[in-house]
Amino acid sequence: MRLTRRHGLLLLPWFLLPAAAQAGVVLNVDGVDENLKNAVVAGVELSQYAARDVTDAQIRRLYANAPDQVQAALRPYGYYEATATGDLKQVGNNWQVTLHVVPGTPVKVTAVNVAIDDTAAKVPAIRRALRGVDNLKDKPMNDGQYDAARDAVSGALTATGFLDAKLVTHRVEVNRAEHSAKVDLKWETGERYRYGHVNFKNSQFRDGFLNRYLPFKSGDYFSQDQLLQLQQALNGADYFAVVNVIPDTDNAKDGTVDVNVELAPAKRTIYTGGPFFGTDTGPGLRGGIEKRWINDRGHKWKNELVVAQRLKTLSTLYQIPMPGPNQRSFNFGANYRDANTVTSKSRTLQLVANETRLWHGWTRTIGMNALTGTFTVGKRGGEGDNALGLEHGTSTLLYPEISLSRKKGDNPTFVRSGWSLTLTARSTVGTLLSDASFSTILGDAKWIQSFWGRNRLILRGTAGKTWTNDFSALPPQLRFFAGGDRSVRGYDFESIGPRNAYGRVIGGESLLVGSTEVEHYFTRNWGMAAFVDAGNAFTGTDYRPRVGTGLGVRWLSPVGMIRLDVAVPVHDKNEHGIHLHVVIGPDL
């Protein structure tokens, strides 16, 4: 291959060239697509002098060597007959080089012969990897793709227990005259290993407890994917600061391999606390104590105290994990709640016992609730408890509850594509140990999708229905209200709902709320939003949606997404003014 130089200047003797002892190289490549162009630029020495000084003698040497380097750069992509001509000229203090590349006819793979044990070839992971080798046929001979396909098979053999597998034949025969290549590969797989003993080292739990986290049992075929699942499960249990799952392949014998799990316990007690602000609750303080484990059976205990302007809670939760593929746990809790919204006031004690587990991709919770307390509904501002039209109540309710929840997102901190759905049903058994009978179904959904680069569309909806023989006996948290940060913005928290004869909001038996929001991000962490929310709580069929609209600021802060919204009611004769809404937390 010969490089042809153009322009009269290049025909002069080298000693008549203008002196430019200190100069750089500007390299251009044409004649090939972007992938091959990148390969040429990376393969020729000329590109190394883009930001380096080059002498006259060096540029002549680099220019003369370029044709062979172009050919070498394109050979791994199946182009064995590539040629190049070029232009070289001085522009200012720099040398400008243009390489005109003709890649020629590529060499194609015309035959692929693979020899492997039939038992190994039937393993799904290995079968998928072998399919990648077969797919090389009738395509240009690309060394990178060939290496990747070959190594994928070797990796799949090791990952599925063929620890002694060897690649004994790996040959590529190229016929330049026919522009063809033949691939021959052969593996000797050897014995497929099974799991032996699993040794948990430095565990703080009784023998056998951590075995529940194993996604396999002794005697199953070895699988690196299962070892990764084990590591993820132990990390997710929140018991350990360090988890290393190490198969002891060096000492594997008799077709089995032991697994060593090296552990370091995490800090046993966690203390949390600090100030917070929410427009639904007002400013407040939050403090908590969590025991990651309280005994050698892995039981957990969590306590939290919240003292805010309009909400005070004291809660405790005791968990009994039942590790396994369903991530099952039994939970027992108590929650004292003192809530004071713009329309209601309540003091209640709730006892909860439930079981949580994974169920067909959903998180399923089934349990029993006991709720007792006093309440007042129909409040307005700071008026006294004896104001005309207020409704007071005392009730005790015992009811089972079931919920299904599921969410999916491409990023836990900033979702570009994702959704969440929660379905809840609760009901008393007639009036058994309850002051009233009721049944409730509730659904909450959210969908997020990015579009046109730095934009997101967010749709949200909530719907619910209650049937009861005595609505007045239901405390506020079992009635439906609308308004607030996560409902209809532009209205105070739980300020929308059916009214009694005195015009006071007392909540309803049904709920229907929807929201449409569009976000645009100017930078990676800062953006703005425009939204319209609509909905109401109602009884019977008297549904009159309230509408709120506004603008917001979005900040993806180190502690999570912070949303600051300013909203106003639309065409509402009873509500006026601007409402500020602040929400801190994940998208889903």
Side-chain angles (χ1 to χ4, degrees), residues 331-365:
N331 313 291
F332 305 91
N335 180 48
Y336 173 76
R337 176 185 175 90
D338 183 348
N340 188 2
T341 73
V342 296
T343 57
S344 68
K345 183 178 181 180
S346 62
R347 291 187 178 94
T348 57
L349 175 65
Q350 185 174 17
L351 304 178
V352 178
N354 59 44
E355 179 225 42
T356 299
R357 66 162 66 190
L358 291 180
W359 181 74
H360 298 289
W362 296 75
T363 298
R364 188 191 73 185
T365 302

Side-chain angles (χ1 to χ4, degrees), residues 534-558:
N536 206 340
F538 59 101
T539 296
T541 59
D542 186 21
Y543 178 62
R544 301 177 184 179
R546 300 291 188 267
V547 179
T549 186
L551 300 173
V553 175
R554 300 292 180 262
W555 177 33
L556 186 56
S557 74

Side-chain angles (χ1 to χ4, degrees), residues 507-522:
E509 297 177 354
S510 303
L511 177 70
L512 187 59
V513 173
S515 172
T516 299
E517 181 173 317
V518 176
E519 294 179 344
H520 173 73
Y521 285 82
F522 302 101

Side-chain angles (χ1 to χ4, degrees), residues 217-228:
K217 61 182 181 294
S218 179
D220 288 348
Y221 284 121
F222 177 91
S223 168
Q224 287 184 347
D225 286 344
Q226 290 178 333
L227 296 184
L228 179 59

Side-chain angles (χ1 to χ4, degrees), residues 13 15 40 276 279 282 397 466 488 511 567:
F15 50 82
V40 170
F276 71 94
T279 46
L397 300 166
T466 293
V488 181
L511 177 70

Side-chain angles (χ1 to χ4, degrees), residues 3 6-7 24-34 36-50 59 62-63 66-67 70 83-91 94-102:
L3 191 66
R6 302 175 182 174
H7 298 288
V25 176
V26 178
L27 176 63
N28 298 306
V29 176
D30 60 30
V32 290
D33 61 25
E34 195 66 24
L36 296 183
K37 177 180 177 181
N38 292 336
V40 170
V41 171
V44 297
E45 286 186 272
L46 285 165
S47 62
Q48 300 176 15
Y49 287 84
I59 190 64
L62 295 171
Y63 186 64
V70 169
T83 59
T85 58
D87 296 331
L88 172 65
K89 62 181 179 179
Q90 189 173 11
V91 179
N94 293 321
W95 290 98
Q96 181 173 301
V97 178
T98 301
L99 298 178
H100 309 288
V101 179
V102 179

Side-chain angles (χ1 to χ4, degrees), residues 74-388:
L74 294 182
R75 193 175 297 120
Y77 296 86
Y79 295 91
Y80 286 78
E81 298 177 347
T83 59
T85 58
D87 296 331
L88 172 65
K89 62 181 179 179
Q90 189 173 11
V91 179
N93 291 329
N94 293 321
W95 290 98
Q96 181 173 301
V97 178
T98 301
L99 298 178
H100 309 288
V101 179
V102 179
T105 303
V107 168
K108 288 190 176 182
V109 178
T110 56
V112 176
N113 299 317
V114 176
I116 193 170
D117 183 80
D118 288 341
T119 301
K122 294 177 181 178
V123 177
I126 299 174
R127 187 169 63 248
R128 288 192 296 270
L130 289 171
R131 195 176 301 129
V133 174
D134 291 337
N135 288 339
L136 296 174
K137 188 176 180 181
D138 298 327
K139 295 180 181 178
M141 180 60 213
N142 185 301
D143 289 0
Q145 294 175 359
Y146 163 75
D147 291 344
R150 178 199 63 206
D151 294 344
V153 176
S154 295
L157 285 166
T158 302
T160 54
F162 294 94
L163 303 181
D164 298 329
K166 296 179 181 178
L167 179 61
V168 295
T169 301
H170 51 99
R171 181 172 56 248
V172 177
E173 296 180 357
V174 176
N175 187 324
R176 295 192 182 187
E178 297 181 1
H179 302 102
S180 66
K182 177 183 177 183
V183 173
D184 290 305
L185 296 169
K186 180 179 179 180
W187 282 269
E188 291 181 356
T189 60
E191 184 178 9
R192 188 179 186 185
Y193 281 73
R194 299 175 183 267
Y195 293 110
H197 297 290
V198 179
N199 306 307
F200 294 97
K201 299 181 179 181
N202 302 318
S203 168
Q204 65 270 42
F205 302 111
R206 62 172 55 184
D207 292 341
F209 172 73
L210 294 181
N211 289 335
R212 299 177 180 179
Y213 287 94
L214 295 175
F216 55 84
K217 61 182 181 294
S218 179
D220 288 348
Y221 284 121
F222 177 91
S223 168
Q224 287 184 347
D225 286 344
Q226 290 178 333
L227 296 184
L228 179 59
Q229 292 175 24
L230 173 59
Q231 177 143 355
Q232 292 173 338
L234 292 174
N235 281 324
D238 202 30
Y239 293 132
F240 308 104
V242 175
V243 177
N244 289 320
V245 179
I246 306 171
D248 191 8
T249 54
D250 292 339
N251 296 311
K253 59 182 179 179
D254 299 327
T256 62
V257 55
D258 294 340
V259 177
N260 296 320
V261 182
E262 298 177 351
L263 305 168
K267 187 177 180 181
R268 186 171 187 174
T269 304
I270 302 174
Y271 300 92
T272 58
F276 71 94
F277 176 81
T279 46
D280 291 347
T281 62
L285 295 172
R286 177 185 285 111
I289 301 175
E290 180 181 356
K291 292 283 188 180
R292 281 173 162 155
W293 71 93
I294 64 172
N295 54 34
D296 62 1
R297 296 184 297 277
H299 294 187
K300 297 172 176 284
W301 189 23
K302 184 176 182 179
N303 303 276
E304 185 179 53
L305 173 66
V306 174
V307 179
Q309 182 182 5
R310 292 185 290 274
L311 178 66
K312 300 172 182 62
T313 64
L314 176 61
S315 61
T316 183
L317 179 65
Y318 190 91
Q319 292 181 294
I320 303 176
M322 304 293 289
N326 294 327
Q327 299 182 19
R328 186 182 180 196
S329 71
F330 292 103
N331 313 291
F332 305 91
N335 180 48
Y336 173 76
R337 176 185 175 90
D338 183 348
N340 188 2
T341 73
V342 296
T343 57
S344 68
K345 183 178 181 180
S346 62
R347 291 187 178 94
T348 57
L349 175 65
Q350 185 174 17
L351 304 178
V352 178
N354 59 44
E355 179 225 42
T356 299
R357 66 162 66 190
L358 291 180
W359 181 74
H360 298 289
W362 296 75
T363 298
R364 188 191 73 185
T365 302
I366 300 177
M368 185 67 69
N369 294 263
L371 179 66
T372 184
T374 62
F375 56 88
T376 300
V377 293
K379 287 179 50 186
R380 289 177 185 164
E383 62 187 1
D385 291 342
N386 296 321
L388 184 65

